[in-house]
Amino acid sequence: PLTLEEVRMLVELFYLPYHHGALAQELLEHFRWLRANSLSVGVPATAPDACGGTRWRGRAQSFQLLCVQTCRLHSRFVSTAGRALLYDLHPYLWDIRNMLLAASAFVLWLGCQSITAPILLGRDTEPWARRGGLFGELQALLPVGNSCDLFYHPPPLFPSSHLYLLRPLLPLDKVGAVAWRGSCSEASQGLQAQLSRAPALPGRLLGSFLSLSPEYTFVLEDEDGPCGYAAGALHAEGFLQQRDSSWLPAMRHKYPPDLGTGGPALGQEAVLFFHAEPLAVPQPVLRRFPSLVQLGTAPRVLDVGASRSLALCLLSALRANGSRGVFCQVSDTDRQQLSFYSKLG
């Protein structure tokens, strides 16, 4: 059964419509302060006001801990609550879990900005686009703007107790990038054993982002390891030019077209991807939507809430640095990706 401490947390999350319990109030106060004082994150340790950065990181750590406790509460509640109580309270608790996954990753991302802090933290969302309660207040603090479709998803019919962690890409991920890319798509796990020199399918999808725009890359993990990613480029036009002029030629040299001959069809496709001419993005698209995004999850991620949190933290990071809009590139024959983006709204 739930512990007394977990029951107290649950009560405080459901306190009163316009008055939050101590836990919820602490979450909001930390998040408001961290967002308002994010300029101090990039202050060098030798500067006279370096203590501001130390204080910021201390409060960020407290916020992360509260987020983890609340996400664990959701998992424990699904596992232990009676059916009637579960289906009554789960939709709200599921929403809060998803919002805190995104908020926690966004705060971690703010802490990774070692040189300059975000230029723009966005305007408040329009009142009509927000819901009430703790969810609505957290939504207003994320600089994602009025992306209303991302906030209105029905909860799953069968609640899952899966625990997820959402975070920015770390230097360690880039060191072990081959293993990480393989785990993002279970279909590609056996491929590297058969074609040790050929890139895995997620490698070709993610390679340019890992090389050219790692600061806008996020990782979703569950108990079994990495299971999803979100990657973006703030200035898509420059990113695409750099990809075509330097990254693709390097990949073509590394993976010649005859490398996949005789291997699995998936391996040949991954190699030939580098030798196909990428489609040009029309200038009107780049002018209206200056940032490029790409998201994906492993087949085992059935909870659309986790995918939605991925999108929220990536869009928040791009918006925080001034992006006015995003686009993604999807083949019209890729039904899996089309379905994935459609489910996100």
Side-chain angles (χ1 to χ4, degrees):
L2 294 176
T3 65
L4 186 61
E5 179 68 14
E6 288 169 332
V7 173
R8 184 187 66 79
M9 289 172 62
L10 191 63
V11 169
E12 289 182 357
L13 288 174
F14 285 86
Y15 205 64
L16 288 171
Y18 300 102
H19 185 64
H20 307 302
L23 170 72
Q25 197 61 44
E26 194 176 354
L27 276 167
L28 283 172
E29 287 172 2
H30 278 318
F31 197 14
R32 285 195 191 103
W33 189 91
L34 290 165
R35 176 181 150 148
N37 292 275
S38 61
L39 289 172
S40 63
V41 184
V43 175
T46 54
D49 53 349
C51 60
T54 305
R55 186 182 176 204
W56 193 94
R57 285 181 167 77
R59 289 197 69 160
Q61 193 172 9
S62 299
F63 179 72
Q64 298 293 333
L65 182 60
L66 288 173
C67 290
V68 168
Q69 289 174 343
T70 309
C71 291
R72 192 170 294 279
L73 171 64
H74 168 266
S75 178
R76 294 263 297 128
F77 183 73
V78 170
S79 301
T80 60
R83 295 295 96 179
L85 186 63
L86 172 63
Y87 282 96
D88 197 23
L89 300 186
H90 178 259
Y92 178 79
L93 198 54
W94 180 76
D95 269 338
I96 294 295
R97 190 280 308 259
N98 297 334
M99 186 61 71
L100 289 180
L101 278 175
S104 174
F106 180 67
V107 166
L108 280 172
W109 176 83
L110 283 176
C112 293
Q113 307 300 297
S114 56
I115 301 172
T116 56
I119 303 163
L120 169 73
L121 276 174
R123 297 169 301 192
D124 289 336
T125 53
E126 297 291 338
W128 56 264
R130 290 213 325 252
R131 287 162 51 181
L134 178 62
F135 180 92
E137 294 202 43
L138 288 168
Q139 176 189 342
L141 289 171
L142 279 174
V144 71
N146 294 329
S147 303
C148 312
D149 290 347
L150 282 170
F151 297 105
Y152 294 101
H153 274 283
L157 290 175
F158 302 101
S160 166
S161 61
H162 251 61
L163 273 171
Y164 291 101
L165 170 69
L166 184 52
R167 58 173 177 78
L169 186 79
L170 301 173
L172 185 63
D173 296 312
K174 297 186 75 175
V175 172
V178 173
W180 180 74
R181 291 171 197 165
S183 63
C184 263
S185 174
E186 281 129 356
S188 69
Q189 284 181 347
L191 177 62
Q192 289 177 346
Q194 301 172 55
L195 258 173
S196 59
R197 289 179 59 222
L201 181 61
R204 68 176 171 125
L205 295 175
L206 264 181
S208 57
F209 290 99
L210 291 175
S211 299
L212 305 176
S213 185
E215 65 273 21
Y216 293 104
T217 306
F218 293 86
V219 182
L220 180 71
E221 292 181 324
D222 61 9
E223 292 98 328
D224 297 322
C227 58
Y229 72 92
L234 182 63
H235 303 292
E237 188 170 12
F239 171 84
L240 294 173
Q241 287 173 357
Q242 199 174 357
R243 181 198 67 181
D244 297 346
S245 64
S246 60
W247 184 78
L248 267 179
M251 291 298 104
R252 287 166 180 165
H253 177 74
K254 186 176 181 180
Y255 303 110
D258 58 347
L259 180 64
T261 306
L266 188 60
Q268 294 177 34
E269 180 192 351
V271 171
L272 292 176
F273 166 82
F274 297 118
H275 296 272
E277 283 301 318
L279 294 173
V281 180
Q283 279 298 319
V285 173
L286 290 170
R287 281 197 296 268
R288 186 175 177 188
F289 307 102
S291 303
L292 171 66
V293 298
Q294 185 173 289
L295 299 95
T297 56
R300 68 177 186 269
V301 180
L302 303 177
D303 189 341
V304 72
S307 305
R308 184 176 70 175
S309 298
L310 264 175
L312 282 174
C313 69
L314 175 58
L315 293 179
S316 293
L318 291 168
R319 177 69 184 268
N321 272 338
S323 177
R324 302 186 312 276
V326 303
F327 71 96
C328 58
Q329 292 179 294
V330 190
S331 167
D332 55 3
T333 59
D334 193 340
R335 296 187 179 278
Q336 184 177 356
Q337 277 293 88
L338 288 169
S339 171
F340 177 79
Y341 287 120
S342 297
K343 286 176 182 175
L344 288 179

